[in-house]
Amino acid sequence: MSPKRESFELGGQTIAPGTRRTVDLPVSILSDHTPVTMSAHVVHGRRPGPTLFVSAAIHGDEVIGVEVVRRLLRAKPLDALSGTLMAVPIVNTFGFLNHSRYLPDRRDLNRCFPGHASGSLASRLANLFMEEIVARSDLGIDLHSAAIRRTNLPQIRLNPGNDRLVELGRAFGAPVMMESKLRDGSLRMAAEGAGVDVLLYEAGEGLRFDEYAARAGVAGILRVMRHIGMIGSKGVPKPKGRPVLCRSSTWYRAPVGGLMRAYRGTGDLVEEGMLLATISDPFGEMDAEVTAEETGIVVGRTNMPVVNEGDALFHIAATHRATHAEAALEAMEAEIDAPPLFDEDEII
């Protein structure tokens, strides 16, 4: 008979094996004496296993991740969890309440890790997340979206040279995986320094919900949990295809200002010389074309038809295997057409 599993401690609270609880971690007190917390929902399985954190809204306007976490916590496979899941749907409460990417001190939280307990507001929040969440975990999945007025194809960002993350990214099953350099002050860099791998999921648009982005996010997290032995296969959607691994990408920018008519959207496969958009002045006297310079997949684009010279228009991830890319995108279409993970009233 195996020994009884120990309880999980977080924020001064004890979560017994086979139970779940939301723990409020104090962050700050506003100027009007309103307390601000970072809330983590802990699911502590009866059986031993890895500890996984899933976080969202490090940028307060990236709300799609909050919806992904909400759906994840209702998923049936979690009822028979091995290990421990810590889900933090809203890391940056300040930005979330203000519909803003940033904190009140105008700092980007994802440039302030690992933070400091006696530093700025952003630094203190980063330190709290590192000490209470990251340091207790074996693996993390951090959920993001494009900024406002842009949208991203569901994609996984990988630390360069990390074979384990490539394996986990394939298990996640998003259409595209991209190598992305670590940035100073980012959660990924700080977590790597602490010995914790983090998958970064990008999908959708700031301050908007996107059904496919939400569905792909929940399915991907469940697949990773299945892959590392936290849950069984029942209730976990099987991937429709193999992700495309892209090692480079390019932002195509507006050569002139004007009104843009876009001919390609996220998920489209483009080839060298293909017309992406035309930019015209309001009188129709001038037209400037934006064309692809290589084969790739549109993984992000602006949603704004009014553009200034130099504005980012299309984010294209390069791929030298067009047939592989086509297969991945066909799988994405199948995923979109597949039955929803939840009842009809869950559809956004």
Side-chain angles (χ1 to χ4, degrees):
M1 184 175 179
S2 58
K4 184 178 179 181
R5 191 181 186 205
E6 294 183 356
S7 297
F8 190 82
E9 304 287 336
L10 181 66
Q13 297 197 39
T14 301
I15 301 92
T19 66
R20 55 199 298 170
R21 179 179 299 176
T22 298
V23 178
D24 296 327
L25 302 170
V27 174
S28 177
I29 297 177
L30 298 180
S31 55
D32 66 350
H33 204 65
T34 301
V36 178
T37 62
M38 181 179 69
S39 300
H41 189 84
V42 180
V43 184
H44 192 46
R46 293 185 184 278
R47 295 180 294 276
T51 298
L52 169 71
F53 79 80
V54 178
S55 56
I58 279 182
H59 296 133
D61 58 354
E62 296 180 1
V63 299
I64 186 65
V66 184
E67 174 64 8
V68 170
V69 174
R70 186 189 71 81
R71 295 188 186 195
L72 172 67
L73 291 175
R74 297 185 61 184
K76 290 295 184 181
L78 267 61
D79 294 341
L81 182 73
S82 296
T84 304
L85 170 67
M86 289 189 288
V88 186
I90 304 170
V91 179
N92 180 359
T93 304
F94 303 94
F96 183 80
L97 293 175
N98 291 305
H99 304 166
S100 170
R101 178 183 180 90
Y102 304 106
L103 285 151
D105 57 5
R106 298 185 294 178
R107 284 179 168 86
D108 183 335
L109 180 58
N110 211 25
R111 299 294 178 268
C112 296
F113 288 96
H116 195 281
S118 59
S120 67
L121 175 60
S123 184
R124 293 176 189 223
L125 178 54
N127 175 261
L128 175 70
F129 189 80
M130 287 294 298
E131 295 295 325
E132 296 290 349
I133 305 299
V134 176
R136 298 168 183 262
S137 303
D138 301 303
L139 176 69
I141 302 177
D142 190 28
L143 309 176
H144 287 262
S145 77
I148 58 174
R149 304 191 181 105
R150 292 181 186 169
T151 188
N152 279 339
L153 178 75
Q155 59 197 260
I156 288 291
R157 302 284 178 89
L158 306 170
N159 301 359
N162 190 317
D163 293 338
R164 183 192 183 211
L165 285 180
V166 173
E167 176 187 333
L168 293 172
R170 289 200 175 105
F172 192 102
V176 172
M177 299 191 301
M178 299 172 57
E179 286 193 348
S180 179
K181 293 181 180 179
L182 297 175
R183 294 191 177 186
D184 290 340
S186 68
L187 170 61
R188 284 197 300 150
M189 175 173 276
E192 183 177 76
V196 180
D197 288 328
V198 175
L199 278 177
L200 191 151
Y201 175 65
E202 283 272 4
E205 177 185 357
L207 296 179
R208 295 288 185 273
F209 276 1
D210 178 290
E211 175 58 26
Y212 175 54
R215 190 184 302 179
V218 177
I221 295 170
L222 291 175
R223 290 178 194 132
V224 170
M225 295 178 73
R226 171 71 184 93
H227 185 77
I228 62 177
M230 295 184 73
I231 57 176
S233 59
K234 186 177 181 180
V236 179
K238 294 181 179 179
K240 305 292 183 179
R242 185 179 176 88
V244 181
L245 176 59
C246 302
R247 300 190 183 278
S248 64
S249 65
T250 302
W251 270 104
Y252 286 74
R253 297 183 177 274
V256 296
L259 305 175
M260 183 187 72
R261 303 187 302 281
Y263 306 125
R264 303 294 165 187
T266 52
D268 284 353
L269 179 64
V270 300
E271 298 178 348
E272 183 179 355
M274 185 175 288
L275 183 63
L276 303 176
T278 301
I279 301 172
S280 306
D281 71 279
F283 305 102
E285 297 174 350
M286 174 277 297
D287 286 319
E289 294 184 343
V290 181
T291 58
E293 297 177 1
E294 59 188 339
T295 298
I297 301 171
V298 180
V299 295
R301 54 155 289 184
T302 181
N303 290 330
M304 287 292 290
V306 180
V307 299
N308 295 310
E309 183 175 344
D311 282 356
L313 305 180
F314 295 91
H315 190 195
I316 298 181
T319 174
H320 301 294
R321 299 175 60 187
T323 54
H324 185 190
E326 288 171 351
L329 297 175
E330 288 174 2
M332 182 186 75
E333 292 177 358
E335 186 91 41
I336 294 172
D337 294 335
L341 288 173
F342 296 97
D343 295 335
E344 191 65 26
D345 61 0
E346 289 293 322
I347 302 300
I348 301 166

